[in-house]
Amino acid sequence: MQLRGSSKPGDIATGFISGVLNTSTSMSGPPVVIYLQGKKIAPMAFRATNTFFFGVSALGAVALLSVGGASSITVWIASAVALPGVGLGRLAGNAWYRRIDTSAFRRIVFAILLLNAGVAIGSAVL
């Protein structure tokens, strides 16, 4: 499937579905990833769009959870401890990305989506 051109309704619907899934399951990524893959944008633009979207979403979530009183010092410490791992993962991803072609990139993205779906279903069942 390929989606053509820019679509404000498609963008808004994807954002809405992602928001609903984020607040109900903490898995906001699949609709955005599937939508961007359907548009067949270049891998570099795909990565940049995802990085921006999820970065802004995460900052918004942190702000809302903090204002709502849902965060604690334990959460902040765990986040600080995890940050080096995020940086290392980013570096590894950048190095790996340079070595794969566009079709392999798309296959890997869908494989990761399937893996995430399997983990989510398995967690729900257990």
Side-chain angles (χ1 to χ4, degrees):
M1 174 176 90
Q2 180 171 353
L3 304 172
R4 301 205 187 274
S6 179
S7 164
K8 291 276 187 215
D11 293 349
I12 291 168
T14 302
F16 178 79
I17 293 166
S18 177
V20 168
L21 285 175
N22 193 26
T23 56
S24 62
T25 67
S26 297
M27 289 190 67
S28 62
V32 176
V33 171
I34 291 168
Y35 183 65
L36 293 176
Q37 287 287 32
K39 288 183 152 218
K40 296 213 184 269
I41 63 174
M44 184 66 77
F46 175 86
R47 292 178 73 229
T49 302
N50 274 316
T51 299
F52 181 78
F53 178 82
F54 292 114
V56 170
S57 294
L59 289 174
V62 167
L64 290 172
L65 289 169
S66 295
V67 168
S71 70
S72 66
I73 190 67
T74 305
V75 171
W76 287 101
I77 291 170
S79 298
V81 169
L83 277 177
V86 172
L88 289 172
R90 182 92 178 140
L91 289 173
N94 285 341
W96 188 46
Y97 167 77
R98 290 185 192 100
R99 295 187 176 119
I100 60 173
D101 65 18
T102 300
S103 66
F105 178 83
R106 293 192 192 289
R107 286 192 308 272
I108 291 166
V109 167
F110 281 117
I112 292 169
L113 271 176
L114 286 173
L115 178 66
N116 283 339
V119 168
I121 291 168
S123 296
V125 169
L126 298 176

